[in-house]
Amino acid sequence: MTKEPTATADQRRSQLLRGVLDLCLLSLIAERPRYGFEFAEALAEGGLDLVSDGSIYPLLARMERAGLISSYRAPSPSGGAPRKYYRPTEAGRAELTAGRAGWQSFVGPVGRILSVGTQSTGEGTP
């Protein structure tokens, strides 16, 4: 039986994700151009199922205005309306590279701090 996350855990997770969602989207489109629904699908497959379309589309628009991504329309394989695909610009690739380095320099120290005392009995020593 898996334990359901508490509301506080969901809130914390949501706040953490908010700070790196742009990097996650840049990383996904660095693999290949994607359209809107594919982002939510890929994030959920990666374990980030808290992200809604309502968070993704405004962020994509901001990233496009900032020159980090560009978009183009292509026919839908199913014959429906054309889809809007996103791809990184050179500035977006540079931002992703810098963001990955920044993320690694952040999670290392946080991981070390959060793991302090996890191997003890929980009792502090004077």
Side-chain angles (χ1 to χ4, degrees), residues 98-110 112:
R100 284 176 170 158
W103 176 252
Q104 292 305 317
S105 69
F106 176 76
V107 297
V110 170
R112 284 190 297 278

Side-chain angles (χ1 to χ4, degrees), residues 13-93:
R13 207 167 163 222
S14 178
Q15 289 298 318
L16 290 169
L17 182 58
R18 186 171 303 180
V20 294
L21 184 56
D22 61 334
L23 293 175
C24 291
L25 297 181
L26 278 172
S27 184
L28 290 171
I29 62 173
E31 292 176 1
R32 64 176 172 80
R34 294 180 188 259
Y35 64 94
F37 177 74
E38 287 182 307
F39 288 106
E41 196 173 57
L43 291 168
E45 286 173 8
L48 301 176
D49 52 352
L50 289 176
V51 182
S52 69
D53 291 346
S55 299
I56 294 170
Y57 288 106
L59 183 52
L60 288 170
R62 282 194 302 273
M63 291 168 64
E64 191 167 21
R65 282 192 304 273
L68 300 176
I69 61 174
S70 63
S71 62
Y72 63 94
R73 298 215 179 256
S76 170
S78 62
R83 292 180 175 162
K84 187 175 185 179
Y85 286 84
Y86 298 89
R87 60 184 162 212
T89 61
E90 286 304 314
R93 284 183 179 69

